[in-house]
Amino acid sequence: MPMLSAAAWTPTKYVIRDDRLRAAADPRIVSIGSRLMVDAIAARYTAAIPLHCRGDVLDLGCGRAPLYGLYRHFAGTITCVDWADSEHDVRHADVLCDLNEPIPFPDASFDTIIFSDVMEHLYRPQQALEEIRRVLRPEGTLLMNLPFMYPIHEQPHDYYRYTRFALERMLGDASLEAVALESIGGAPEVLVDLVSKLFLRMRIAGPSLAGSAQAVAGWWVRTKPGRWMSTSTAAQFPFGYFLIARPR
């Protein structure tokens, strides 16, 4: 079973180039000031989805289902969920519900749950994790990313930032276990993301400056000293986190 309106789906935040997810080039979809980190998140899903996505897949907080272009090749069935008041286009949502409340599926319904850029927008995040555990099958997998050092966005529905220690405790309290929990980016990525977003407040030269900053930083973190600076600061200055979790 494909998601609702699958035939009308088009790539949005992520596109597939050279067999990899990458940030979309359209600045109306991915801000010029966000490309470096969107590419970094895309790289995590490019690696994880082929290994861990299978069977009945739930895209929880799907928005425009930006990861659908990759996970559809590994799924048996796909169910997309979002809430009716989302500021994103939810035409692909099979079910509309508030993720701060119980989700309307039986226990052990899904093999894979995608939970991308959602948890910071929930005011009852622990309940959401418990619901994820409830609807995951015993051998199921949760794939998830969320920001840490990142500006307030989609206000007023931006409630929390989580350290890795909070995530580990919250997962444990929900009877989930992180089999992988990694920082996305470090100090260089955080700095260029902030600087680029500040540049974009300048009406005339802002987009050019933001694009240049992103390009230079993208080159820098691929060099040996840039990689060292990023990895050596990732624990203390993470841009965000990517995790893979399974039921205990």
Side-chain angles (χ1 to χ4, degrees), residues 146-148 161-170 181 238 241:
L146 68 171
F148 182 67
R161 298 292 182 269
Y162 306 90
T163 65
R164 67 178 298 118
F165 312 108
L167 292 170
E168 288 170 343
R169 179 174 290 274
M170 293 173 74
L181 173 54
Y241 295 99

Side-chain angles (χ1 to χ4, degrees), residues 38-210:
V38 173
D39 273 338
I41 295 166
R44 268 61 176 193
Y45 281 108
T46 297
I49 284 175
L51 295 176
H52 301 285
C53 186
R54 62 183 178 84
D56 298 314
V57 174
L58 175 63
D59 191 339
L60 203 55
C62 64
R64 292 177 286 184
L67 293 164
Y68 175 76
L70 184 58
Y71 68 61
R72 64 181 171 179
H73 300 296
F74 304 95
T77 70
I78 296 168
T79 304
C80 291
V81 174
D82 213 320
W83 71 313
D85 293 331
S86 172
E87 69 176 44
H88 302 292
D89 181 353
V90 293
R91 73 180 72 182
H92 300 303
D94 301 284
V95 175
L96 294 173
C97 69
D98 185 347
L99 298 182
N100 295 289
E101 305 294 337
I103 54 180
F105 300 108
D107 296 358
S109 295
F110 298 99
D111 298 294
T112 310
I113 295 179
I114 308 290
F115 197 42
S116 178
D117 292 317
V118 178
M119 204 164 89
E120 71 271 22
H121 300 298
L122 301 181
Y123 58 84
R124 292 176 180 162
Q126 188 63 46
Q127 177 167 300
L129 290 175
E130 290 167 4
E131 282 292 281
I132 286 170
R133 171 63 183 89
R134 181 182 67 80
V135 302
L136 261 181
R137 293 185 175 129
E139 301 300 320
T141 304
L142 167 66
L143 302 178
M144 171 179 162
N145 75 283
L146 68 171
F148 182 67
M149 300 190 78
Y150 190 77
I152 292 172
H153 57 291
E154 296 188 23
Q155 54 266 41
H157 302 294
D158 188 358
Y159 300 106
Y160 301 108
R161 298 292 182 269
Y162 306 90
T163 65
R164 67 178 298 118
F165 312 108
L167 292 170
E168 288 170 343
R169 179 174 290 274
M170 293 173 74
L171 289 168
D173 288 347
S175 297
L176 292 162
E177 181 177 10
V179 296
L181 173 54
E182 60 180 284
S183 300
I184 303 173
E189 291 89 347
V190 170
L191 285 170
V192 76
D193 189 81
L194 175 59
V195 168
S196 298
K197 287 176 170 57
L198 291 175
F199 280 149
L200 288 175
R201 292 173 176 263
M202 301 167 58
R203 293 187 178 181
I204 298 175
S208 295
L209 291 170

